[in-house]
Amino acid sequence: MPVFTVTLRSTGTLDKKRISAAIHAATITTGYPHNDLFQRFISLDDDSLYVDPTYPDLESPRSANFVLIEAVLSSGSPDARKHLLLESLVHELGLIGVDSNDLMVLFSEIDRLNSSFGGGRRASPVSMSQ
């Protein structure tokens, strides 16, 4: 269950479908099921997205292709899985031309008991391959 919110500039040159496919490939590499696909895209104009070009210590400034990925994971997700997901996101997005300087990834966790994925049923534990 990662649920991704992807925020990017409407003035950038990135293709949402390619970003979506790259994120999905990263989740599969990390061991999530193939049909575990939940993504939301938000495109903002320059007046609605302010980003420091070099924070915290980037060697080169961010471009107009800045991508903010917020990933909501099930609580208790192992740190190693988050690290692998981050590595996979950087790799897969790099394959479609997203510079790692333009990528910010934030993880947050939610207890599955506080969610429903449909049908009015509370989310059940998910089995994940390694």
Side-chain angles (χ1 to χ4, degrees), residues 53-128:
T54 59
Y55 181 86
D57 60 357
L58 299 178
E59 293 179 14
S60 61
R62 293 179 171 97
S63 75
N65 288 329
F66 174 75
V67 178
L68 169 61
I69 298 176
E70 298 169 83
V72 178
L73 309 173
S74 296
S75 60
S77 296
D79 287 343
R81 180 163 302 251
K82 289 181 234 176
H83 184 72
L84 178 59
L85 180 55
L86 177 60
E87 286 180 344
S88 298
L89 287 167
V90 170
H91 173 75
E92 293 293 337
L93 289 163
L95 293 176
I96 64 165
V98 177
D99 186 299
S100 62
N101 280 342
D102 285 332
L103 181 60
M104 178 182 279
V105 180
L106 304 173
F107 295 111
S108 61
E109 296 185 357
I110 185 170
D111 189 318
R112 289 180 66 84
L113 292 176
N114 294 324
S115 59
S116 170
F117 297 142
R121 298 179 307 271
R122 293 178 95 180
S124 59
V126 65
S127 173
M128 294 173 32

Side-chain angles (χ1 to χ4, degrees), residues 14-28:
L14 299 172
D15 180 88
K16 291 179 194 174
K17 288 185 181 189
R18 292 183 73 205
I19 293 172
S20 174
I23 291 171
H24 192 57
T27 62
I28 292 169

